[in-house]
Amino acid sequence: MTLQEEVEALAQPEGRVVGTLGHEQARRHLVERLRAIGLSPYRGHTFGLPYRAAGRDFCNLIAVAPGRDPALAPVLIGAHYDSVIAAPCADDNAAAVAIALSAGEHFLREPAPCGIVIALFDAEEPGYFQTLAMGSIRFYEDQRLPVGFHAALIMDLVGHAVPQPTPEVGRLVPQFGRLLFITGAESHADLPGVASAARVPGLPVVATLNRRVGDMSDHRIFRLNGVPYLFLTCGRWQHYHQPTDTPDRLDYPKMAQVRDYLVRVAGALARADLPSEGPRPREHDTTAFELSLLGDALGETGARYLAMAVGLARLETRADLDALAARLQGYFDL
Ligand SMILES: [Zn+2]
């Protein structure tokens, strides 16, 4: 299936709110897709890993594309499949699920040294977010295999063109809409190199510190446990958590580039040693990395225009980058 077909099949009008028939149908549909693609269950004989929390039933859907060496810790690609409202919620998060499934297909065709886990998490949305019922937390704490994870790549809101923060940016920095944002490169010394080398033509990538924007999705539990991670997102937009977040509004060519980037990052991580830095969260200094990505993404002039448009005189230091992230986030806080 193409990314668009995958999104359209999953993003039904009834939505995927936990406890509803729509959620149940989505779960069955995704189990069937994991089977049809040819992935293997991550543990036991079923993709569905049920859990109970706060008196309710939930179900993570976890598959693996086996690696060449089954003893190695796998790289995890994760996205939540529940929805916030009874509506298609195409960008949140059917787009990321579609990309994760497509990545699973890729790693079946071209196995990596280690396994690639495709994790479709339940219960990420408000009501469960950062609670003990959150799918990614229950997965990490109760369902993961002892070998753990080599690295984790989490996606949320990866299906849309980034809206222009101001008309001036739209005019002066036309590539702004193509941007993909990443956080978490600070979580391991080798991540900036991997995240930089894996870039694909036509998809400018910019990075910021995760703590500048907060734990917006399922990466938190991996971060807290010292797993090297990246979070990929196009940020919030005007259709965020709205009934208007429909499949026809997504940018499918951009999604294909995000998929290509994700696959390249996952493959590179699978081949990298990533020497352990301990069980605690790390924060390496990524100032130079962030500045170089910005320059590559927007060009020197574009980066300067963007800084001016949000009221910054220069983009040279950690403080400048943090101010840029805060001001850009301000435009997208809806
Ligand atoms: Zn959401």
Side-chain angles (χ1 to χ4, degrees):
M1 280 166 78
T2 65
L3 291 170
Q4 181 164 1
E5 288 165 347
E6 203 78 75
V7 168
E8 287 170 351
L10 179 59
Q12 296 294 318
E14 60 270 28
R16 305 172 298 283
V17 177
V18 173
T20 66
L21 184 61
H23 183 278
E24 171 77 17
Q25 285 165 343
R27 184 176 62 74
R28 286 177 201 274
H29 164 74
L30 288 172
V31 165
E32 188 41 46
R33 289 297 301 138
L34 293 169
R35 195 188 331 270
I37 287 168
L39 293 162
S40 306
Y42 167 72
R43 65 182 301 166
H45 300 288
T46 57
F47 295 111
L49 298 181
Y51 63 95
R52 204 169 158 76
R56 309 189 72 152
D57 291 312
F58 303 86
C59 194
N60 288 320
L61 308 174
I62 317 290
V64 61
R68 295 195 292 273
D69 182 351
L72 294 175
V75 170
L76 176 139
I77 292 175
H80 75 86
Y81 73 92
D82 64 316
S83 73
V84 64
I85 52 173
C89 298
D91 186 54
D92 188 7
N93 201 20
V97 169
I99 290 173
L101 292 174
S102 177
E105 276 181 310
H106 170 90
F107 286 109
L108 280 177
R109 277 195 310 272
E110 296 177 34
C114 63
I116 305 289
V117 171
I118 305 300
L120 309 180
F121 296 123
D122 205 350
E124 187 272 350
E125 290 291 5
Y128 310 107
F129 190 67
Q130 313 304 15
T131 73
L132 292 177
M134 190 175 185
S136 50
I137 295 178
R138 293 274 53 82
F139 171 71
Y140 190 87
E141 292 186 344
D142 305 335
Q143 299 174 333
R144 79 173 194 276
L145 294 171
V147 69
F149 300 100
H150 189 52
L153 300 168
I154 304 294
M155 294 176 283
D156 209 338
L157 314 177
V158 286
H160 66 274
V162 179
Q164 309 291 349
T166 68
E168 200 183 10
V169 171
R171 199 161 45 80
L172 298 172
V173 195
Q175 64 272 57
F176 194 82
R178 315 287 323 154
L179 286 179
L180 174 71
F181 303 108
I182 61 172
T183 77
E186 66 275 18
S187 65
H188 191 282
D190 295 345
L191 274 176
V194 169
S196 189
R199 282 172 299 167
V200 298
L203 182 73
V205 175
V206 294
T208 188
L209 293 176
N210 191 67
R211 69 178 158 83
R212 291 303 325 164
V213 292
D215 291 314
M216 286 173 54
S217 188
D218 291 304
H219 49 294
R220 178 169 186 265
I221 191 69
F222 298 94
R223 179 179 72 74
L224 290 177
N225 285 283
V227 178
Y229 75 94
L230 290 175
F231 172 56
L232 284 62
T233 185
C234 302
R236 292 179 182 169
W237 60 328
Q238 63 270 35
H239 305 293
Y240 174 68
H241 285 186
Q242 300 298 317
T244 50
D245 178 5
T246 49
D248 56 297
R249 289 191 166 85
L250 299 194
D251 183 335
Y252 294 100
K254 182 177 180 181
M255 276 178 63
Q257 291 169 323
V258 173
R259 188 259 326 274
D260 292 349
Y261 179 65
L262 175 87
V263 161
R264 287 177 56 118
V265 172
L269 289 174
R271 291 187 298 274
D273 282 342
L274 301 182
S276 169
E277 297 183 343
R280 299 242 163 265
R282 290 284 161 155
E283 188 181 303
H284 292 275
D285 180 4
T286 51
T287 306
F289 164 68
E290 290 174 51
L291 285 169
S292 101
L293 283 190
L294 253 181
D296 288 357
L298 305 178
E300 216 175 289
T301 322
R304 202 165 54 239
Y305 281 142
L306 178 64
M308 277 162 44
V310 299
L312 290 170
R314 41 172 221 155
L315 267 179
E316 289 164 14
T317 65
R318 178 76 262 156
D320 299 340
L321 287 165
D322 289 351
L324 176 69
R327 291 182 196 193
L328 283 179
Q329 202 188 14
Y331 287 105
F332 303 128
D333 268 345
L334 304 167

